Amino acid sequence: MSNPAESRFRPHRWMRSLAGPLFGAACLLATFSGVVVLVVLLASILLAAIQGKPDNPWYAIGPNLRELWGLLSALIVNRQSSNPALAGFRIGIVGSLWLLGLVALIGIPVGIAAGVYLEEYAPPGRLRRVVQTNIANLAGVPSIVYGILGLALFVRGMGFRPLALGSCLLAGALTLGLLILPIIVITTQEAIRTVPVSLRQAALALGATRWQMVSGHVLPAALPGILTGTILGLSRAIGETAPLLMVGAAGALRRLPTGPLDRYSALPVEIYNYAKEPGREFQTVAAGGIVILVVLLLSMNGIAILIRDRFRRYQ
């Protein structure tokens, strides 16, 4: 006697056997498409930066790499100039490093502390759900909105002159800190959720306080994920242009910033300004700046991977 359930699902067996390979092929195609687009984009940027000479075709790898190295070395040393032969990104690179340090000092402690509180200390209830929902929504807000907020809140001080910072490094860093704050909070919470509940119960059973449990057991176990999320958040901050334009980052600056209250420029802002110029030589300069920015971002992502692997190794 045949099983009724088996006879019911028998007509759909061929669909299930076909759906698996089709889904796997679709995922492979999507991954391959993303890789191809990325490779084409990077190759077009490199070709625009190299701008091969008649005796130096695009497929001459060695000479083109030497030419690219010479271009990047000059762009790192030179300041912004109206002459493309003398143009560079020295002011923007220094300003971006200043921003990176200030954003790390402002955003990382606040974001991690907020994530720990929401996950370990905040009592469950409607207020926590509302705060959690708003943080998730803020992570998807366009960066230009944060620029408008930074302009009103930090640059102009909401109309109160004593609170207005003006177009200085600190205002830009506070704006970018707000930009990455939801990302750090969410990644901190996700990293804490990966810690087994048994670890918390064992620490509390041995007489540890909640603070001792969180600081001595939960945070060290979640540290790889937290550090990875914070570095990726900083990578997003250093590549933003729209918020810095809104809060008054200088398009052209001749003096290096020496403190948080100085005027500044940033690498993405200077790339944007060079890219607007009509001359082909300026397009080469802008492409070289993009290469510098991409190398900086890839270096930060590589550091995040190394930190995550090192801490996982010692756990």
Side-chain angles (χ1 to χ4, degrees):
M1 184 176 180
S2 62
N3 190 353
E6 183 179 357
S7 60
R8 184 186 306 171
F9 291 107
R10 185 181 296 115
H12 301 285
R13 284 182 179 176
W14 68 272
M15 295 179 59
R16 295 199 301 270
S17 61
L18 187 61
L22 286 177
F23 181 74
C27 292
L28 179 61
L29 181 61
T31 304
F32 182 73
S33 301
V35 172
V36 168
V37 171
L38 179 61
V39 170
V40 170
L41 179 62
L42 293 178
S44 62
I45 294 172
L46 290 174
L47 288 176
I50 292 172
Q51 202 176 18
K53 301 177 181 178
D55 57 342
N56 189 20
W58 65 270
Y59 53 81
I61 298 177
N64 283 331
L65 287 179
R66 287 193 295 269
E67 183 180 344
L68 179 62
W69 175 254
L71 173 65
L72 297 182
S73 301
L75 293 179
I76 291 173
V77 174
N78 294 338
R79 301 171 185 244
Q80 192 170 5
S81 173
S82 58
N83 184 359
L86 303 176
F89 298 96
R90 181 182 176 187
I91 304 295
I93 292 173
V94 174
S96 293
L97 293 178
W98 265 102
L99 285 174
L100 186 63
L102 292 174
V103 170
L105 289 176
I106 295 170
I108 292 178
V110 176
I112 293 178
V116 171
Y117 174 78
L118 289 174
E119 200 62 30
E120 295 293 335
Y121 290 94
R126 183 176 182 180
L127 179 61
R128 177 180 173 181
R129 290 195 302 269
V130 170
V131 172
Q132 192 72 53
T133 302
N134 282 278
I135 290 176
N137 291 334
L138 287 173
V141 171
S143 59
I144 188 66
V145 177
Y146 285 98
I148 298 173
L149 176 63
L151 176 63
L153 186 60
F154 303 125
V155 178
R156 299 178 179 174
M158 300 294 291
F160 297 98
R161 188 175 295 274
L163 300 178
L165 296 174
S167 302
C168 64
L169 264 169
L170 185 58
L174 289 171
T175 303
L176 294 180
L178 289 179
L179 174 67
I180 68 170
L181 192 60
I183 300 174
I184 297 178
V185 173
I186 292 173
T187 54
T188 299
Q189 290 185 267
E190 293 297 331
I192 291 176
R193 288 170 188 164
T194 61
V195 179
V197 179
S198 58
L199 186 63
R200 298 176 173 84
Q201 294 174 345
L204 294 175
L206 292 175
T209 63
R210 174 168 288 188
W211 160 245
Q212 290 173 333
M213 179 265 293
V214 171
S215 62
H217 300 279
V218 175
L219 282 180
L223 196 57
I226 294 174
L227 290 177
T228 302
T230 54
I231 294 178
L232 294 178
L234 292 176
S235 299
R236 180 189 175 185
I238 201 174
E240 288 290 345
T241 306
L244 298 180
L245 292 175
M246 290 298 302
V247 297
L253 198 65
R254 302 296 299 171
R255 186 171 62 89
L256 290 172
T258 58
L261 299 180
D262 289 347
R263 289 297 306 274
Y264 70 101
S265 186
L267 182 57
V269 175
E270 292 190 343
I271 293 172
Y272 171 75
N273 290 328
Y274 282 128
K276 291 192 303 181
E277 297 294 334
R280 183 172 177 81
E281 295 81 3
F282 286 107
Q283 305 306 314
T284 301
V285 174
I290 294 173
V291 173
I292 296 174
L293 183 60
V294 168
V295 170
L296 183 59
L297 294 176
L298 291 178
S299 300
M300 294 182 66
N301 292 338
I303 292 173
I305 294 173
L306 291 176
I307 291 176
R308 180 185 61 195
D309 293 342
R310 180 175 292 273
F311 276 97
R312 283 181 177 176
R313 192 180 306 162
Y314 291 114
Q315 287 181 354

